[in-house]
Amino acid sequence: MAMRPNGVVVDAMSWVIGGAVVCATLVVAGCMTVTRLQPEEPAPPIEVRISAPAAEVFRRTLSAFAAEGLTVAQAEESGGVIASAPIMGEGVVVGALDATTMQTYLIYRANIIPAADGTSIVKLSLWIEIHERSSRGVVVHPETPPAANCPTHPVCGQAWSRLERIAERLR
């Protein structure tokens, strides 16, 4: 409960209801707009078509990862999957009293898909994993692809450039 300067006692719920009424009035009057946040589209993978069988393309892709300084954590030739070990990216500290550190890790992936005509398609993608650390412990969020603006984003763009260099090495 709160007391106004004029001595009238008002509880917290009155403030919430009053605020909602003011917002609704502004929306109806056209003085305020409400924007619904939409999740961004993920960045599409980079696709490279190579005139070679999948086994050869798999070896070439492993070499391209190594040439870019990536450590391979997963390499399954039969499934055509290559994934780098997570690379530490940007870190951010949020909050003051109970500070939370949000650390990003970047994972580079390649999927090699054999085509019927004897060629192979390599789909290169970047994935981001976030680790949240606070006094309550560590929360690891599932891997997600970056947003579509990643190639032009100042920080994400650097990681995307590495992905593009891998694609160039395969061409």
Side-chain angles (χ1 to χ4, degrees):
M1 295 222 197
M3 184 176 290
R4 290 186 180 165
N6 63 2
V8 175
V9 176
V10 180
D11 65 355
M13 193 52 136
S14 296
W15 287 102
V16 171
I17 293 170
V21 169
V22 169
C23 285
T25 303
L26 290 172
V27 169
V28 170
C31 300
M32 181 175 139
T33 59
V34 177
T35 304
R36 194 169 142 224
L37 295 176
Q38 299 279 344
E40 285 193 55
E41 289 294 317
I46 297 173
E47 291 189 18
V48 181
R49 181 176 287 275
I50 302 171
S51 296
E56 181 184 329
V57 172
F58 186 85
R59 288 188 293 280
R60 286 173 58 183
T61 306
L62 281 173
S63 295
F65 270 54
E68 281 299 319
L70 297 172
T71 301
V72 174
Q74 178 186 12
E76 297 173 18
E77 187 173 352
S78 62
V81 176
I82 299 172
S84 74
I87 299 167
M88 190 180 296
E90 291 288 307
V92 190
V93 177
V94 180
L97 297 176
D98 185 20
T100 299
T101 303
M102 299 185 65
Q103 183 66 56
T104 60
Y105 292 87
L106 306 171
I107 300 156
Y108 294 83
R109 294 190 182 282
N111 292 342
I112 296 100
I113 304 160
D117 62 358
T119 64
S120 300
I121 299 168
V122 180
K123 289 188 176 188
L124 298 166
S125 58
L126 181 64
W127 291 78
I128 299 170
E129 183 178 271
I130 298 175
H131 294 207
E132 230 179 286
R133 290 180 176 81
S134 70
S135 61
R136 294 179 300 266
V138 177
V139 176
V140 178
H141 297 274
E143 292 176 14
T144 58
N149 72 341
C150 179
T152 59
H153 187 273
V155 176
C156 190
Q158 293 173 4
W160 195 265
S161 293
R162 188 182 233 176
L163 200 64
E164 290 173 338
R165 288 192 305 270
I166 292 170
E168 284 303 314
R169 290 177 188 279
L170 294 172
R171 289 188 174 109

